[in-house]
Amino acid sequence: MDPAKVITGVVTLVNANIWEPISIKGNPPIYTATIIIPKGETKTLDGIRTAIKNANIEGSIKFKGMYFGTKAKKMPLLDGDQNPLATAFADCFVLNASSLVAPQIVDYRVCPISDRASVGSGCKVRVSLTFYPYMNGGEKGIGCMLGNIQKALVAEQYDPIPQLHFDTFLSEFLHILLKN
């Protein structure tokens, strides 16, 4: 398992450009999403902090010591309580993730979703994220790559389903793809 990878618990997607890539400031098109993580989701937050720490170590090795000092780096995990203008993020952490590759989007039973209206901004999901170090034009930091997305089972869905632990999401999804 990649030490800089995390599979979240239930989080909320905002500004989700997960079906079609968008171009930002004339750059190549990418898939993007803002992930809202409740502060009570401690397992996810601990995993993200560990992955960021591992990406920092990787950056120190990759960039041969030019990467030390976290204060000068841009970090992906932001405290929503630190921005008084963004009351929607109160008691949450926020991070932006992006990818050049389209994420696989599945339902809670790990079946591919093709209905674009069923997963988007405001949706409760689980997401695989990979953190990586970067150094570009004097700017350095930790970036966050968007991986696969699983629509979470929410209270409004009443049909009984066996408990599916998201840690098995990738292996089961790959197994389904390899069968086809």
Side-chain angles (χ1 to χ4, degrees):
M1 179 110 173
D2 184 344
K5 184 174 186 172
V6 174
I7 298 174
T8 70
V10 177
V11 298
T12 304
L13 284 180
V14 181
N15 301 324
N17 298 294
I18 57 175
W19 295 102
E20 293 290 331
I22 61 167
S23 178
I24 300 170
K25 297 181 182 177
N27 289 318
I30 57 174
Y31 298 88
T32 64
T34 298
I35 316 277
I36 309 301
I37 308 156
K39 287 188 175 178
E41 186 65 41
T42 56
K43 184 176 178 184
T44 295
L45 292 168
D46 290 346
I48 288 172
R49 288 180 184 111
T50 299
I52 289 171
K53 179 181 173 186
N54 290 332
N56 259 320
I57 292 168
E58 180 185 337
S60 295
I61 294 166
K62 183 177 180 178
F63 299 116
K64 298 182 173 70
M66 296 183 295
Y67 199 73
F68 289 106
T70 57
K71 289 184 180 180
K73 290 183 206 153
K74 291 190 174 189
M75 302 303 274
L77 188 64
L78 305 172
D79 187 339
D81 292 328
Q82 300 298 317
N83 185 349
L85 299 177
T87 57
F89 301 147
D91 204 33
C92 295
F93 281 93
V94 181
L95 65 85
N96 292 314
S98 63
S99 177
L100 292 172
V101 179
Q104 298 295 316
I105 303 170
V106 298
D107 66 14
Y108 56 88
R109 289 189 171 126
V110 194
C111 296
I113 294 176
S114 58
D115 178 13
R116 293 177 177 213
S118 69
V119 180
S121 293
C123 194
K124 300 291 185 185
V125 296
R126 293 179 178 92
V127 184
S128 62
L129 304 168
T130 304
F131 296 87
Y132 59 92
Y134 67 85
M135 199 157 81
N136 186 11
E139 193 174 275
K140 57 186 174 179
I142 301 296
C144 182
M145 185 168 37
L146 179 63
N148 295 329
I149 299 169
Q150 180 188 35
K151 185 174 182 179
L153 178 63
V154 293
E156 294 82 36
Q157 296 167 317
Y158 294 110
D159 53 326
I161 311 171
Q163 184 68 18
L164 177 65
H165 191 14
F166 189 62
D167 291 343
T168 63
F169 163 61
L170 284 177
S171 61
E172 289 192 22
F173 186 65
L174 288 174
H175 179 54
I176 290 168
L177 285 178
L178 294 175
K179 279 179 133 179
N180 294 332

